[in-house]
Amino acid sequence: MAELNSSIILLLVVLISTRLLSSANSVYNIAEYGAKSDGRTDSTKSLLGAWQAACGSPGPSTVHVPAGSFLVRQVTFNGPCKSSKIVIRIDGTLVLASDLGRVGGWIVFDHVEGVSVYGGTIDGRGASLWACKATGRRCPGGATSLTFRNSKRIMISGLTSMNSELYHVVIDDCEGVTLQGRHGISIGSLGKGYDEEGVENVTVKTTVFTGTENGLRIKTWGRPSEGFVKGVVFEHAVMQNVRNPIIIDQNYCPDNKGCPDQNSGVKISQVRYNDIYGSSASQVAVNFDCSASNPCTGIGLQDIKLTYGHSPAESSCKHADGTTSGFVVPPSCL
C-alpha cells in the first residue's frame, strides 16, 4: 500500500512538474546565439536560431533582442510553431544590411499564430535607395521592413519603424491583428491587378500622426479592377501638421504609366471617420477623390475638427456620397 501511495505521489509530482514546465516562459536571448551589438556583425543566423528555439518550445516563449544595434539581412520566420504564444521583445535596434538590390520583405513572419512584437526599433536604412530613385535612374524596388502573412492573433505594439526602403509594415492574409502605438496608416495601393481581392472589416483607432504626408488614407490605382474596400472605421485620431489628414485617392498612377485616363474599378463603400481632430499642413484637410465610374458610397463623417493655421481647413469631394453627424470642421462636401 505504501509503495502504491509513493507511486501515486511520484506520478502527481511528474504531472505537476510537466505542467509548470509547459506554462513557464522560456527566454531566448539572441546574444546567447552569437549576435553582436556592434551594428556591423551579421546577426541574422543568431536571430533565426533564437526564433527556431522559441518556435519549438512547448510553452510560452520570448525572443529577446537586447540593447544595441544588430545587423540583420533578409530573413523569414516560418511557422507553424509548437508554442502558441511567442513574444519578440526588442530593446535595441535591428538594422538592415545596406546592399542595394533587395525586393520583397526584410523581416517576414509566415504562417505563425500568437506572435507579439513589443518595443524597439527597426531601421530599414533606405537612404541609399531613395538617393538612387531621386536621380531618375532605374533602381531596385526595395524591401518592406516588416511583413506578417498567412498568420493569426498578431500584436505589434510600441515598435518604431524608420527609414524603410519601401513599406514600413505590411499585413497580408492575416486574422486577428492588433497594432498599437503606430504613426501612419494606408490601405493600398489597391487595384493594380484586375483580379485582386478586396479589403473589408478594418478598424484603425487611437492613432497620432505627426508631420506625415498622409494621415488616414485609402489609395487605389486608376485602372480597371474587380477589387473593393468596405466596412472600414477610422476613429480617435490626432493630426499634428499632416498634409493630407483624411484622403481617398482613386487616381494613383505613378509616372502616368499603365493607367492614364482610366478610372479605378475598386469600389469603396461604408467607410466611417469618427473623432478626428488636429491640424492640417495644407488647406484641403479632407479630400475624397473617388472613381468617376465607381463612386464612393456610404462615407460617414462624425465629430471632425481639423484646422489650417488659425483658420478652419477645407474639404474637397469628387464622385463621393455619404452623411455627416455631430460637428464637422471643415464643412463637409458630401
Side-chain angles (χ1 to χ4, degrees), residues 54-238:
C55 184
S57 174
S61 56
T62 297
V63 174
H64 183 216
V65 178
S69 183
F70 299 89
L71 194 70
V72 177
R73 299 185 182 277
Q74 286 181 284
V75 61
T76 299
F77 303 107
N78 290 302
C81 296
K82 289 183 179 180
S83 177
S84 60
K85 184 178 180 181
I86 301 177
V87 171
I88 312 297
R89 172 71 65 181
I90 305 175
D91 290 326
T93 300
L94 299 179
V95 181
L96 177 60
S98 57
D99 51 338
L100 290 176
R102 288 176 295 268
V103 294
W106 169 25
I107 300 171
V108 179
F109 291 86
D110 193 8
H111 286 95
V112 300
E113 185 169 351
V115 172
S116 301
V117 180
Y118 289 106
T121 300
I122 54 175
D123 185 353
R125 297 178 70 180
S128 58
L129 181 59
W130 306 336
C132 176
K133 291 182 176 181
T135 64
R137 302 197 313 266
R138 190 170 182 176
C139 307
T144 295
S145 289
L146 177 63
T147 302
F148 278 90
R149 62 191 183 208
N150 309 308
S151 299
K152 299 178 181 179
R153 297 191 298 109
I154 304 303
M155 163 74 80
I156 303 174
S157 179
L159 177 70
T160 297
S161 176
M162 59 187 295
N163 302 323
S164 177
E165 286 190 334
L166 192 58
Y167 306 115
H168 286 276
V169 180
V170 168
I171 308 297
D172 182 15
D173 199 17
C174 296
E175 297 179 13
V177 178
T178 300
L179 297 95
Q180 297 179 343
R182 292 179 65 203
H183 293 280
I185 185 71
S186 180
I187 299 176
S189 306
L190 302 174
K192 186 175 183 180
Y194 183 78
D195 296 325
E196 186 175 282
E197 297 182 0
V199 174
E200 60 183 325
N201 300 328
V202 176
T203 298
V204 178
K205 63 181 180 180
T206 317
T207 52
V208 178
F209 303 83
T210 303
T212 56
E213 180 72 16
N214 300 289
L216 306 172
R217 177 172 64 165
I218 299 175
K219 182 174 68 171
T220 73
W221 284 76
R223 57 196 299 175
S225 173
E226 292 187 338
F228 64 86
V229 178
K230 65 180 180 181
V232 176
V233 177
F234 296 111
E235 60 184 2
H236 313 313
V238 178

Side-chain angles (χ1 to χ4, degrees), residues 249-270:
D249 179 9
Q250 291 207 261
N251 293 288
Y252 179 66
C253 187
D255 302 321
N256 291 319
K257 294 180 180 179
C259 50
D261 303 320
Q262 297 189 42
N263 293 317
S264 176
V266 177
K267 178 65 175 176
I268 298 177
S269 63
Q270 306 304 317

